Amino acid sequence: HAPTVAIDPAIMSPHNAARHALIPIAGDMQLLSTDNKARLLSDSMATFAQATTPLNQDVARILSNPSLVKKGFPKNTWFTVNSTASVRVRSALCDANVGSPIRTVETALFARGSLGLIAVEGPSRNPNLHDLFAIFYDYARQTPEAGTLLDEDEERTLIRTLVGEGCGSVTMRMSDSRLAIFASGMGEY
């Protein structure tokens, strides 16, 4: 089952292709880097006869606008998946959905793909994402192996990676195969 809605304001760049599993359509004009990630994902889902509505918007802005909330989170939404690695997005989802039955599942990777986390909000969103990440960081504080990985993560893993002329991003360096190992397990879960 494809997602009902894909929300992402970013433009697809060539170095995003493998990690987003979005390959440009063959032809004369392979201008992948000029299109929006949400629309490209929606187009990809359409090839599997699955309908996904793209929203080329920032999720925090969507959550602060009631008419956009209806588009981004239709009435039949029973959970949201956040795989952005953005604390800002996590906070926006957690804070805006207070009192809402829509639970959020968040996936996160740390320490160049040495540690992964799936956080699933509880019934009635209790515990919520803020609670779950507090528990995770407390666990890491009490577990030397995890704590060491997280300390190392903060110091050295987010690096500006250049990919081609004028193309790059601040990212956590890891191989696409390492990412795929976590993504497949998290996707199955």
Side-chain angles (χ1 to χ4, degrees):
H1 298 279
T4 304
V5 179
I7 302 172
D8 196 325
I11 299 297
M12 186 67 130
S13 296
H15 69 279
N16 297 135
R19 291 195 176 192
H20 288 75
L22 296 173
I23 307 302
I25 298 169
D28 295 336
M29 299 290 287
Q30 291 189 15
L31 298 177
L32 182 67
S33 63
T34 64
D35 211 343
N36 172 260
K37 290 179 184 179
R39 194 185 74 71
L40 288 169
L41 176 64
S42 296
D43 290 350
S44 178
M45 292 299 102
T47 66
F48 297 104
Q50 300 281 314
T52 298
T53 301
L55 285 180
N56 181 17
Q57 302 266 350
D58 178 275
V59 73
R61 287 199 179 119
I62 289 171
L63 290 167
S64 66
N65 181 327
S67 64
L68 289 176
V69 168
K70 290 178 184 176
K71 283 181 161 182
F73 303 89
K75 282 188 179 185
N76 62 346
T77 301
W78 59 281
F79 74 93
T80 299
V81 176
N82 177 23
S83 59
T84 64
S86 169
V87 174
R88 183 176 164 274
V89 170
R90 178 187 316 134
S91 289
L93 286 167
C94 193
D95 295 343
N97 287 335
V98 171
S100 166
I102 302 172
R103 295 164 66 183
T104 300
V105 175
E106 182 163 338
T107 59
L109 298 179
F110 303 90
R112 294 179 300 282
S114 297
L115 184 63
L117 172 69
I118 300 174
V120 181
E121 291 185 322
S124 301
R125 302 189 66 237
N126 184 15
N128 66 26
L129 288 177
H130 292 315
D131 300 330
L132 294 170
F133 272 80
I135 292 166
F136 168 69
Y137 287 121
D138 186 56
Y139 166 80
R141 184 182 59 79
Q142 295 179 39
T143 308
E145 298 83 10
T148 300
L149 287 171
L150 289 180
D151 286 344
E152 185 179 290
D153 186 45
E154 287 184 13
E155 294 173 13
R156 297 183 292 170
T157 58
L158 295 179
I159 302 167
R160 178 151 174 85
T161 301
L162 299 175
V163 184
E165 190 173 330
C167 186
S169 65
V170 175
T171 189
M172 182 185 344
R173 287 187 184 171
M174 76 177 86
S175 69
D176 288 329
S177 59
R178 180 101 150 133
L179 177 70
I181 289 169
F182 278 100
S184 63
M186 289 173 169
E188 186 170 309
Y189 180 82

